[in-house]
Amino acid sequence: MAAVSALEIHALAKSYDGKPAVSGLDLTVRPGEFYALLGPNGAGKTTTLRMVTGLLKPDSGAISVWGVDALNDPIAAKRLIAWVPDEPMIYDKLTPLEYVAFVAGLWGVEGAEAEREAEALIDLVGLTAQKHQRCEGLSKGMRQKVALCGALVHAPKLIILDEPLTGLDASSSRLVKDVLKARVAAGATVIMTTHILEVAERMADRIGVIAGGRLMAEGTFDELRERAGHAGSTLEEVFLEIVAGSEVAA
Ligand code: ATP
């Protein structure tokens, strides 16, 4: 029997005011995979991820998270998912430690254990010095890291991130990449959007390129490069070629 996919999207569609944002998208993310979703502005990446996380209702299609039908059983699917949006919401009046412990509590981990887990995550992302400061006084990048800690505290099996590295300085970006890699090594699956092609090239097991709400190409970096007929070319060149091809086809 084939192993169940971490995420399986079939014929997913969503329009805004009659204008298609996602048009019959098929996408599969395998267990234990680090999957990078690339695409030009307006390609439908965020819309897709918001549907997977249950924040947006598709017009049609199917989404399955570790075999759970996310449209029919959204609560069971959400238990398996961590979601880090591109503009995370955190509670400004709480400190990072209080916020992450609070989120742990929502997942049923409470008291000293919640605080221990929160503290470990906060230390891991380099926010030790800020852990008792109110979030409202933190920089954008620090707030992003707090949101990441909140998302990871329930040991999710599928970690979904929308542009997690924008706004992070080089060392913070390295820390977050290391945290994500460690989660993958421990058995989690990651799908993330990024405009930083070098991140996709270096970190992703497979890369999917979306344009016009459809999956235009998918594979390892080498496979994409081969498909574009450019051995030795950069991901940027391959990406631009795939996107240009999709515009011609549209
Ligand atoms: P980016 O890389 O710029 O973040 P994206 O690939 O995440 O882009 P989406 O945000 O999913 O793209 O947008 C896909 C399309 O849907 C775009 O044409 C966008 O204008 C449209 N869209 C997205 N959100 C809404 C909304 N709330 N109301 C109307 N149209 C929307």
Side-chain angles (χ1 to χ4, degrees):
M1 202 179 79
V4 66
S5 302
L7 173 64
E8 192 141 353
I9 294 176
H10 180 61
L12 192 66
K14 176 77 187 173
S15 293
Y16 295 106
D17 307 320
K19 274 182 62 185
V22 175
S23 316
L25 180 75
D26 289 318
L27 186 90
T28 300
V29 180
R30 300 170 188 148
E33 185 163 61
F34 197 121
Y35 191 100
L37 200 54
L38 310 183
N41 291 133
K45 302 179 297 296
T46 300
T47 302
T48 299
L49 297 187
R50 284 173 60 85
M51 289 191 276
V52 172
T53 53
L55 293 170
L56 196 62
K57 199 173 168 328
D59 297 336
S60 56
I63 301 169
S64 154
V65 177
W66 289 98
V68 174
D69 182 332
L71 302 180
N72 284 329
D73 198 352
I75 294 177
K78 278 180 191 162
R79 278 189 220 285
L80 304 169
I81 292 177
W83 163 236
V84 187
D86 51 353
E87 283 181 14
M89 300 277 288
I90 52 178
Y91 294 106
D92 280 344
K93 298 295 174 201
L94 299 184
T95 67
L97 194 55
E98 288 167 346
Y99 172 73
V100 182
F102 167 73
V103 177
L106 296 179
W107 289 104
V109 183
E110 287 182 45
E113 195 189 340
E115 199 150 310
R116 243 193 334 270
E117 285 190 15
E119 195 148 19
L121 273 169
I122 285 166
D123 290 344
L124 200 61
V125 299
L127 286 177
T128 309
Q130 289 81 23
K131 67 181 159 199
H132 296 302
Q133 284 177 28
R134 282 192 182 186
C135 291
E136 63 192 356
L138 302 184
S139 75
K140 181 167 180 269
M142 290 172 184
R143 293 162 60 85
Q144 253 173 291
K145 290 197 272 183
V146 174
L148 179 69
C149 293
L152 296 184
V153 77
H154 73 290
K157 288 182 76 179
L158 177 63
I159 303 168
I160 304 176
L161 310 106
D162 199 2
E163 290 287 339
L165 303 173
T166 40
L168 295 187
D169 64 31
S171 70
S172 297
S173 177
R174 162 67 69 85
L175 268 174
V176 167
K177 284 189 264 182
D178 287 348
V179 168
L180 294 176
K181 271 197 230 158
R183 286 299 173 115
V184 170
T189 303
V190 168
I191 175 168
M192 67 178 244
T193 68
T194 182
H195 289 299
I196 311 171
L197 300 184
E198 188 228 347
V199 167
E201 189 175 328
R202 289 242 209 116
M203 291 187 71
D205 296 309
R206 285 193 308 144
I207 298 167
V209 182
I210 291 193
R214 287 175 197 277
L215 189 66
M216 302 309 303
E218 185 186 57
T220 62
F221 172 44
D222 287 340
E223 285 166 357
L224 291 181
R225 204 160 46 174
E226 236 169 71
R227 188 174 314 178
H230 286 286
S233 50
T234 63
L235 181 56
E236 186 180 43
E237 287 164 331
V238 171
F239 172 77
L240 290 173
E241 185 155 321
I242 292 168
V243 171
S246 76
E247 282 161 3
V248 171

